Amino acid sequence: MDGPWVPKGILVCLLVALLPCAMLQSLASGARDRIQLREEARRMFYHAYDNYMQYAFPHDELKPLSRTYTDSLAELGNLNHEHLPEHYNGTALTLVESLSSLAILGNATEFVKAVLWLGENLSFDVDVRVNLFECNIRLLGGLISAHLLAIEFFEGLIPGGYKNQLLHLADDLGQRLLPAFETPTGIPYAWINLKYGVMMDETLETSTSGCGTLILEMGALSRLTRNSKYEDAALKALRKLWSMRSSLDLMGTTLNVATGTWIQHSSGIGAGVDSFYEYLLKAHILFGGQEYWDMFRQAYVAVQQYFRHGPWYHEADMRTGRATYWQLTSLQAFWPSVQVLIGDVVAANATHREFVSVWEKHGVIPERYLLDIGSIHPTESYYPLRPELAESTLYLYQATKDPWYLDVGEKLLTSLNNLTRVDGGYASIRDVTTMELEDHQHSYFLSEMCKYLYLLFDDTFLSNRNYIFSTEGHPLPVLRAWQQWTPSVPPKAITESKGEAETEHTNSSAMESQVCPDFRGLSLSPQRVESACHVLDGHEDHRCTSDDGCGIDAATCRKRTCSSVGYCGLWKKG
Ligand SMILES: *[C@@H]1O[C@H](CO)[C@@H](O)[C@H](O)[C@H]1NC(C)=O
Ligand SMILES: *[C@@H]1O[C@H](CO)[C@@H](O)[C@H](O)[C@H]1NC(C)=O
Ligand SMILES: *[C@@H]1O[C@H](CO)[C@@H](O)[C@H](O)[C@H]1NC(C)=O
Ligand SMILES: *[C@@H]1O[C@H](CO)[C@@H](O)[C@H](O)[C@H]1NC(C)=O
Ligand SMILES: *[C@@H]1O[C@H](CO)[C@@H](O)[C@H](O)[C@H]1NC(C)=O
Ligand SMILES: *[C@@H]1O[C@H](CO)[C@@H](O)[C@H](O)[C@H]1NC(C)=O
């Protein structure tokens, strides 16, 4: 967040200079077939998992260089390691995060063993201060997703039967998170002590993603426990947050939970905001209804309008829409996956290709890249095993079945094995310019990176059921009963949910459905926005130069083309 503002003209030049020659060479076409690559992705998961189990479990995460552990859930963002209890054994974070991957890899034995261990040994009654957002997406989401997978796949295999162990843990954890929401605005504190609630003098500052990425897990937990309190809290916070948008429909990055005022007015689609957008759309897919879609559509249109510059996204001031930082961040690589879900595949493809070119240039994607001076950010030059490019690659492959994306997946696998694999697991990269390693294997490497790569090469898991993935890579089934649920009409009991899961599956995955709803209620003028799914780039005259600039039509989901005089539409060729 410290780059200078630079005029657009310079950016254009730099963008041209940035496009590496690698983009021009076609990726070496996959010599190995998908099955071999799938097995390589499987080996990657087990190398990470077995080392975690041997050297770190039940602590949170593995330190692969020193082969020891870190209780990172309590340490994330808690740089001084305050309030760590004595003899603390962590929350088995990486194991919880691995459950849905174990299910997708078909490892019933290990999944069942883990369920039994967690049911008997995991307790959240510990005096430890955790980050609400991380705790929600990693632990709560991991438990909820694994609970649903346990019912679907493993119920009969669990000795003594599945006793909803994971759901009870999730319910208990959910209750412990609720005190965070007791603020004048309903927007939760960023931190909470699992045993004692909000701590004295807790910081009032939170981020847009921190308080806007709760609804999937909380909404699912409400449906599974038939208690609306979780969804109520998360939805109230989300509505309040949304009400704080600017007249341009832009959000800031950080805010005060007590006053509901912005602290940092500049924002983009990367760190601090990213999954807020993702969850608006995914909440619409998972829970149905118009409200989430309306919020998402407005927010998406504003992003395309004010942050987009060709295939890149910069940051802008929410009040003026003026560009602030010309920086690319590694987390932005998730954006094409959101675009695939709404059917804007052409734009997704264009942005994804730019990220692939950065990956090829550097071997991985540096955390922050200065578009204005065309170099890696001096301090944020690390690569903490982030999975967002693998995620987008999977979504784009699902949407297009273009084998080029398999080649990208192969490239990711190869560089991860080349650059980050050590005897004790997979290590983050401290500095992309030197490839010096850091002693940390993040749990999302197992819940996301390994899973997305595996699914890229073998999508059997997706082919007969309709799942969406949380921002942490945990699958949640799209069920009609969940969409129809309201607190006053509770869904069937937890123990009956198996029947629902079996009958509600369709054969198409949400990744292929390309939710592309209609224009109803679109309040923006047609001159400004030609399609809810696609907004033209900010050329002065809003004219296109090629079909690729036109995206798809929101009403019909058909690809739009550029007319001879430069207007996008559903023109007939010829
Ligand atoms: C952590 O594990 C050790 C060894 O199993 C045990 O002695 C200790 O009581 C545990 N700590 C807590 C806080 O439960
Ligand atoms: C399941 O995981 C365990 C632990 O890594 C491993 O020993 C076992 O071979 C795996 N089973 C299958 C079927 O992959
Ligand atoms: C719970 O932890 C204890 C102590 O480490 C262990 O002996 C026991 O087997 C664990 N329970 C299960 C079901 O794995
Ligand atoms: C993605 O971009 C490449 C290069 O511009 C193009 O060849 C390909 O057809 C595009 N795919 C889609 C689905 O737009
Ligand atoms: C592995 O990484 C090294 C150092 O970055 C690089 O020189 C080499 O080309 C890479 N090999 C492969 C197969 O990617
Ligand atoms: C779903 O797939 C199964 C097996 O692939 C097939 O038998 C069934 O007819 C399909 N259902 C629909 C609604 O297409």
Side-chain angles (χ1 to χ4, degrees):
M1 312 267 169
D2 48 2
W5 181 85
V6 163
K8 258 186 192 171
I10 296 182
L11 176 74
V12 173
C13 304
L14 286 163
L15 281 177
V16 172
L18 248 174
L19 295 177
C21 305
M23 268 299 276
L24 304 172
Q25 305 161 357
S26 62
L27 287 154
S29 68
R32 291 167 288 173
D33 64 15
R34 277 182 88 186
I35 293 178
Q36 282 174 290
L37 292 166
R38 177 193 72 192
E39 290 312 306
E40 205 164 297
R42 188 198 301 280
R43 278 194 295 278
M44 177 181 270
F45 173 83
Y46 282 115
H47 184 64
Y49 179 81
D50 290 341
N51 275 296
Y52 164 73
M53 290 306 283
Q54 184 172 354
Y55 299 113
F57 171 80
H59 293 273
D60 287 345
E61 290 178 324
L62 171 71
K63 294 177 100 167
L65 302 179
S66 54
R67 299 194 188 185
T68 173
Y69 59 84
T70 155
D71 284 315
S72 43
L73 193 68
E75 293 164 10
L76 279 163
N78 179 1
L79 300 177
N80 300 326
H81 291 189
E82 292 162 278
H83 309 295
L84 286 192
E86 269 189 73
H87 312 299
Y88 180 53
N89 291 321
T91 59
L93 179 65
T94 300
L95 180 64
V96 172
E97 288 253 80
S98 296
L99 291 171
S100 60
S101 296
L102 285 168
I104 287 173
L105 264 52
N107 196 330
T109 327
E110 201 65 17
F111 185 96
V112 167
K113 213 169 99 186
V115 170
L116 295 176
W117 189 92
L118 293 167
E120 197 170 292
N121 284 314
L122 183 60
S123 166
F124 296 121
D125 193 30
V126 280
D127 175 12
V128 52
R129 174 176 173 265
V130 298
N131 182 283
L132 178 74
F133 164 80
E134 300 288 354
C135 198
N136 176 66
I137 64 171
R138 299 197 199 205
L139 269 186
L140 191 62
L143 290 168
I144 289 170
S145 172
H147 163 72
L148 291 159
L149 294 166
I151 290 172
E152 188 175 348
F153 295 104
F154 305 117
E155 201 160 28
L157 302 174
I158 299 177
Y162 179 56
K163 301 201 176 68
N164 291 319
Q165 287 97 322
L166 303 178
L167 182 57
H168 292 311
L169 282 167
D171 198 9
D172 176 58
L173 180 58
Q175 310 233 31
R176 293 170 188 279
L177 301 183
L178 285 180
F181 292 83
E182 286 163 22
T183 62
T185 59
I187 295 179
Y189 285 96
W191 301 91
I192 179 113
N193 183 297
L194 288 179
K195 196 180 177 90
Y196 299 113
V198 179
M199 315 221 27
M200 289 263 282
D201 302 321
E202 188 53 86
T203 175
L204 296 173
E205 187 168 357
T206 191
S207 66
T208 298
S209 52
C211 60
T213 312
L214 302 162
I215 192 69
L216 287 195
E217 290 80 5
M218 291 296 209
L221 185 57
S222 271
R223 281 158 182 77
L224 290 167
T225 58
R226 293 181 296 156
N227 189 329
S228 66
K229 64 186 174 185
Y230 304 114
E231 176 165 292
D232 289 347
L235 184 53
K236 185 177 170 211
L238 190 60
R239 283 179 176 148
K240 175 65 191 173
L241 181 64
W242 180 238
S243 77
M244 290 169 61
R245 70 192 181 281
S246 72
S247 58
L248 305 177
D249 290 333
L250 295 176
M251 314 297 287
T253 303
T254 57
L255 57 138
N256 180 307
V257 301
T259 58
T261 49
W262 292 106
I263 297 170
Q264 164 71 264
H265 290 89
S266 175
S267 83
I269 55 166
V273 195
D274 46 11
S275 43
F276 159 76
Y277 293 107
E278 178 185 352
Y279 269 35
L280 292 179
L281 176 61
K282 289 182 175 175
H284 168 70
I285 295 172
L286 197 61
F287 305 137
Q290 193 69 25
E291 182 178 5
Y292 296 121
W293 172 251
D294 287 341
M295 291 188 216
F296 173 76
R297 181 181 51 203
Q298 265 174 270
Y300 179 73
V301 164
V303 164
Q304 299 299 89
Q305 185 89 6
Y306 295 106
F307 297 158
R308 190 159 82 100
H309 189 98
W312 300 102
Y313 292 82
H314 55 77
E315 294 183 15
D317 189 299
M318 64 180 286
R319 298 162 295 192
T320 60
R322 258 204 294 272
T324 47
Y325 303 115
W326 293 104
Q327 300 181 350
L328 168 152
T329 60
S330 171
L331 287 165
Q332 294 175 337
F334 88 102
W335 190 248
S337 68
V338 165
Q339 296 188 302
V340 166
L341 286 181
I342 56 165
D344 207 351
V345 176
V346 174
N349 178 46
T351 296
H352 174 265
R353 287 198 182 231
E354 300 298 332
F355 277 98
V356 171
S357 76
V358 175
W359 183 289
E360 289 183 321
K361 187 173 168 188
H362 296 288
V364 293
I365 297 187
E367 184 70 359
R368 204 173 269 272
Y369 195 90
L370 305 175
L371 292 169
D372 44 8
I373 55 170
S375 73
I376 296 172
H377 189 282
T379 54
E380 294 182 45
S381 58
Y382 45 86
Y383 171 67
L385 300 174
R386 293 211 191 278
E388 283 73 19
L389 187 61
E391 178 180 12
S392 290
T393 305
L394 168 64
Y395 280 66
L396 275 158
Y397 179 71
Q398 284 294 313
T400 63
K401 297 284 148 72
D402 180 344
W404 185 81
Y405 298 107
L406 300 178
D407 296 344
V408 173
E410 177 173 359
K411 219 166 231 308
L412 302 187
L413 262 180
T414 307
S415 32
L416 288 170
N417 279 327
N418 185 17
L419 298 169
T420 68
R421 191 182 198 275
V422 294
D423 288 345
Y426 285 87
S428 300
I429 296 175
R430 187 190 299 283
D431 186 346
V432 168
T433 58
T434 61
M435 293 300 170
E436 181 199 346
L437 295 177
E438 184 176 344
D439 201 7
H440 196 169
Q441 176 183 284
H442 295 270
S443 62
Y444 53 71
F445 186 75
L446 293 95
S447 71
E448 296 189 77
M449 182 72 89
C450 297
K451 182 186 285 135
Y452 294 141
L453 288 174
Y454 182 87
L455 288 172
L456 179 65
F457 302 123
D458 183 345
D459 54 10
T460 316
F461 175 80
L462 299 171
S463 62
N464 270 318
R465 48 182 78 85
N466 192 0
Y467 272 93
I468 59 160
F469 290 89
S470 77
T471 194
E472 191 70 4
H474 296 301
L476 296 166
V478 180
L479 305 171
R480 200 172 315 119
W482 276 24
Q483 299 186 338
Q484 289 162 350
W485 185 79
T486 55
S488 51
V489 188
K492 289 175 208 149
I494 297 164
T495 47
E496 293 165 39
S497 60
K498 181 177 181 179
E500 276 174 44
E502 277 179 353
T503 54
E504 300 277 346
H505 285 138
T506 69
N507 279 3
S508 68
S509 113
M511 289 187 191
E512 291 168 88
S513 67
Q514 300 191 12
V515 183
C516 191
D518 59 34
F519 281 101
R520 268 175 303 150
L522 185 63
S523 57
L524 297 155
S525 70
Q527 289 91 325
R528 197 175 134 210
V529 179
E530 294 183 294
S531 156
C533 288
H534 185 81
V535 185
L536 272 180
D537 198 4
H539 298 300
E540 287 300 315
D541 58 359
H542 290 265
R543 299 224 181 162
C544 52
T545 51
S546 73
D547 292 355
D548 275 355
C550 292
I552 54 129
D553 179 70
T556 61
C557 286
R558 277 165 53 207
K559 195 171 168 187
R560 305 188 319 161
T561 54
C562 187
S563 74
S564 54
V565 289
Y567 290 102
C568 290
L570 288 171
W571 316 118
K572 288 201 172 62
K573 281 282 184 195

